[in-house]
Amino acid sequence: MFGGGGLNPRKMQQMMKQMGIDVEELDAEEVIIRTGDEELYFDGAQVTKMDAQGQETYQIVGEPNVRETGSDEAEAIEAGEEESDDEGGIPDADVEIVAQRAGVTESTAREVLEENDGDLAAAVDQLE
């Protein structure tokens, strides 16, 4: 979970609990960070929530994809209107993400996504 400078993870959790810090792993599918001119979006990122005396902190571990704010892709995703190819119903945005992440063609990415029922993380893992 945390580096801890060589401490046993169980001991680290005990120490954090004694200090009143609760740590929880979240099962996040996607994380989006919007700035004035771009969006960072993480698919399949590891998200950890820490609650220390009522102050919540979130840690995101993963590789972000970047798109400009106001782009057609960003607006379509925000509105829930992801374009999808008629073959298999896999969104084109998902195909592009897997193709870029794994360094393969879009047709290969689509095939592997279909084999994995649209699971981005599983498709990337299979291709890497």
Side-chain angles (χ1 to χ4, degrees):
M1 183 185 307
F2 298 102
L7 283 177
N8 176 331
R10 180 181 287 160
K11 184 156 181 101
M12 179 70 120
Q13 282 184 326
Q14 277 182 328
M15 289 173 53
M16 291 176 74
K17 189 168 188 150
Q18 288 174 349
M19 293 186 293
I21 301 172
D22 293 322
V23 178
E24 175 185 357
E25 294 288 326
L26 302 179
D27 187 23
E29 293 179 13
E30 181 179 47
V31 177
I32 300 173
I33 300 172
R34 290 189 180 105
T35 66
D37 44 326
E38 68 182 11
E39 290 183 351
L40 300 172
Y41 63 100
F42 300 78
D43 286 317
Q46 294 176 325
V47 180
T48 305
K49 173 183 162 186
M50 290 190 295
D51 186 346
Q53 300 173 353
Q55 180 69 42
E56 291 182 352
T57 304
Y58 294 85
Q59 177 181 6
I60 303 165
V61 177
E63 199 62 37
N65 294 298
V66 180
R67 60 182 169 233
E68 291 182 31
T69 302
S71 70
D72 292 339
E73 177 186 5
E75 289 173 6
I77 291 172
E78 186 175 314
E81 302 170 359
E82 291 187 25
E83 295 179 25
S84 63
D85 191 354
D86 291 338
E87 300 173 29
I90 304 293
D92 291 338
D94 289 358
V95 173
E96 290 175 25
I97 290 168
V98 171
Q100 287 176 351
R101 185 76 180 244
V104 297
T105 65
E106 288 189 7
S107 61
T108 301
R110 184 175 301 282
E111 288 175 25
V112 174
L113 273 166
E114 288 172 358
E115 290 172 16
N116 288 285
D117 298 322
D119 185 336
L120 295 173
V124 171
D125 283 344
Q126 182 175 334
L127 289 166
E128 288 184 332

